[in-house]
Amino acid sequence: VLVGPFNRVEGDLEVALDVAHGRVTAAWVNATMYRGFEQMLRGQPPADALVWVPRICGICSVSQSVAAARALADMAGVTPPPNGERVTQVMLATENLADHLTHFYVFFMADFCRPCYASQPWYAEAVRRWQPTQGEQLRLALAARQRWFTIMGTLDGKWPHTQAIAPGGSSRAVDAAEQWRLLAKVREFRSFLEQQLFAAPLEEVASLDSEAALWRWCDAAPFKGDAVARHGGSVFTRVLARLWELALEILKIEQYLLEIKAQEAFCVPTVVPTHGQGQGHAEAARGSLGHWLVVAHERIHNDQIIAPTSWNFSPRDAQGTPGALEQALVGLPMADDGAASVAVQHVVRSFDPCMVCTVH
Amino acid sequence: MALAAGALRVGDLDALQRPRFYADQLVHHGCPRNEYYEFKASAEKPSDLGCMMEHMGCKGTQVHADCNLRLWNGSGSCTRGGYACIACTEPGFQSPGHPKPG
């Protein structure tokens, strides 16, 4: 059975499934759109990587900028001043958080509004909340996301494809008045999460330290995401981890903004060497991102980029070992609905597929 | 929306077929660093106050777009983010003609 191309994905994803006796016996993942960014980067001036690599993706664009800037900084031997690091972390976290929010409200919960669930007691409530383009919670989340991204406009100038992130720190200096305006925007989004998503203070969510604590809390809190909670195992934990990170990241962003010292430097000058190597890493929404940069004769000789989805959606390796998603799909039930099998949809979706960075 | 409503006509496009509602403007228009430009107070590195034309290659004074009048998501533009305009609305911006290494 061929599943795909998937919708609600940036880029192209196909999954081929071998099925026997109503179960998936093997899965084959294929990202079918090749882009060639590593080839385009060869021969470019090293600093131009900061213009090219954000365009690898319109979703994790800041993550690419951060990894590229860190690779250049590593090669040049510069360390951003504390303010530069703080602002960069806020920009990165703003993007991460938007990804997690979008995944839950737009990408993941939509599958619980499929007609195959119509007989479930929670179905009417799921549709009311998360029906694509209509659901009440979905609409509130989209409005909150638009407001959230005014932080991105203020600091990054625009999103995606900012050039505000430099090897020596942040090109965007934040003055004292802005520091408080930004904090007010974070508080507005915190209020959305506390009122609509968790129905609890974020500190309470962030302090959950075990699954037992989570369930005790869930029993007491209306957040008990009706549908999410019923699907145990790894889909559950992946979705849970993103939601929990929403709470953690807001607390960190508030901390970074409060730590900014408006009178101190945000960026130090950087001279990129004519020859050298550097590596830069960033934690993107879907996992770890790495850039390995080699410069020779003032030009990029090679820029090896490994994106999170290159791991999560990896096809079989040279030894025939299946990738993470390929393994996760084996054993799933598959009824007569074939490619529309909702179990397959949930598992694929739980990895938050986003493909354009994968075969860059 | 204008296109869907049948309100965008040939005369509303410039010679490069760009909608004039944004191409009649310059990135320079509304740039908050305009005063630094007037007084030739130049930024020398990222995060500096000052006009980014002289040392940081900003093309905003020549580039047709309304980025600093119609802000991204109501709050941003490249020059407001502290980095130079790369002329992305102009033909050939992707090959800026860096000097060849010596």
Side-chain angles (χ1 to χ4, degrees):
Chain A
V1 178
L2 190 65
V3 193
F6 275 78
N7 62 4
R8 312 201 301 277
V9 171
E10 188 181 49
D12 297 73
L13 168 63
E14 250 177 36
V15 181
L17 301 171
D18 295 343
V19 181
H21 310 297
R23 297 263 161 197
V24 175
T25 54
W28 312 76
V29 171
N30 194 1
T32 53
M33 184 170 64
Y34 170 76
R35 309 200 43 237
F37 267 81
E38 287 174 357
Q39 283 71 28
M40 288 187 257
L41 282 162
R42 283 184 196 141
Q44 303 289 345
D48 278 16
L50 295 168
V51 177
W52 287 84
V53 303
R55 288 163 172 85
I56 288 174
C57 184
I59 305 292
C60 283
S61 175
V62 173
S63 308
Q64 298 287 352
S65 298
V66 171
R70 286 178 179 166
L72 287 164
D74 181 36
M75 197 171 73
V78 300
T79 305
N83 272 347
E85 187 61 23
R86 288 165 191 141
V87 176
T88 301
Q89 291 288 2
V90 172
M91 295 192 226
L92 185 58
T94 304
E95 178 178 85
N96 257 270
L97 196 151
D99 275 13
H100 291 341
L101 184 85
T102 311
H103 178 261
F104 182 75
Y105 284 99
V106 184
F107 299 152
F108 188 74
M109 295 315 289
D111 283 328
F112 293 89
C113 304
R114 289 171 179 260
C116 68
Y117 282 129
S119 61
Q120 297 292 329
W122 44 259
Y123 182 73
E125 183 63 15
V127 169
R128 191 184 72 77
R129 293 187 191 188
W130 299 301
Q131 175 75 21
T133 76
Q134 304 292 323
E136 174 207 274
Q137 289 293 308
L138 170 79
R139 287 184 167 191
L140 287 171
L142 289 177
R145 185 180 184 276
Q146 185 271 322
R147 295 284 302 153
W148 177 244
F149 265 176
T150 59
I151 296 176
M152 202 72 104
T154 304
L155 290 179
D156 302 54
K158 64 179 176 186
W159 181 86
H161 313 154
T162 184
Q163 274 132 248
I165 294 154
S170 165
S171 77
R172 184 61 164 81
V174 175
D175 67 33
E178 275 179 325
Q179 192 177 350
W180 298 110
R181 283 212 308 276
L182 288 163
L183 197 64
K185 290 173 193 282
V186 178
R187 289 280 154 81
E188 184 185 332
F189 192 75
R190 172 196 264 264
S191 161
F192 165 80
L193 294 177
E194 291 183 340
Q195 290 176 27
Q196 302 298 333
L197 182 62
F198 296 117
L202 295 189
E203 284 80 358
E204 196 177 308
V205 180
S207 70
L208 299 171
D209 59 357
S210 68
E211 197 180 346
L214 169 72
W215 289 113
R216 274 198 302 278
W217 180 75
C218 278
D219 285 340
F223 153 64
K224 189 171 184 172
D226 318 334
V228 182
R230 286 165 215 276
H231 288 263
S234 48
V235 172
F236 167 68
T237 49
R238 280 177 217 119
V239 173
L240 179 69
R242 288 190 191 94
L243 292 179
W244 194 51
E245 201 165 276
L246 285 176
L248 298 186
E249 285 196 74
I250 291 287
L251 303 181
K252 290 296 267 186
I253 291 171
E254 289 180 353
Q255 180 196 327
Y256 284 127
L257 285 175
L258 286 167
E259 285 173 358
I260 288 173
K261 308 270 187 293
Q263 301 307 315
E264 294 178 8
F266 286 79
C267 196
V268 293
T270 304
V271 178
V272 179
T274 55
H275 289 74
Q277 299 190 17
Q279 50 178 287
H281 303 277
E283 192 62 17
R286 292 162 186 78
S288 297
L289 168 68
H291 286 205
W292 286 264
L293 178 68
V294 182
V295 170
H297 307 289
E298 299 178 33
R299 288 291 191 266
I300 294 173
H301 177 69
N302 197 35
D303 193 2
Q304 174 81 49
I305 297 164
I306 299 187
T309 308
S310 310
W311 292 108
N312 298 336
F313 286 70
S314 171
R316 279 161 175 71
D317 68 12
Q319 278 81 48
T321 314
L325 174 63
E326 291 181 334
Q327 292 181 29
L329 288 165
V330 172
L332 288 181
M334 190 167 226
D336 299 337
D337 50 357
S341 163
V342 79
V344 170
Q345 296 286 337
H346 289 322
V347 170
V348 172
R349 196 62 65 181
S350 74
F351 283 89
D352 198 358
C354 191
M355 310 309 294
V356 289
C357 66
T358 308
V359 194
H360 45 259
Chain B
M1 283 172 78
L3 196 60
L8 196 68
R9 304 188 184 281
V10 174
D12 299 324
L13 304 178
D14 75 358
L16 293 165
Q17 308 300 302
R18 299 176 296 195
R20 289 182 54 191
F21 60 73
Y22 80 80
D24 278 357
Q25 307 292 338
L26 292 173
V27 171
H28 188 58
H29 297 159
C31 176
R33 295 175 183 241
N34 266 351
E35 280 180 317
Y36 299 113
Y37 175 83
E38 303 287 335
F39 291 97
K40 302 205 183 319
S42 296
E44 295 186 0
K45 65 169 192 335
S47 83
D48 282 353
L49 286 175
C51 176
M52 295 184 288
M53 185 182 81
E54 187 178 2
H55 301 300
M56 294 171 66
C58 184
K59 304 271 184 72
T61 53
Q62 305 156 56
V63 172
H64 295 83
D66 60 351
C67 310
N68 274 309
L69 296 168
R70 184 170 51 93
L71 301 178
W72 183 84
N73 198 27
S75 66
S77 74
C78 294
T79 59
R80 281 159 207 252
Y83 50 96
C85 170
I86 61 169
C88 75
T89 54
E90 300 290 343
F93 86 96
Q94 71 277 17
S95 305
H98 292 289
K100 289 263 187 289

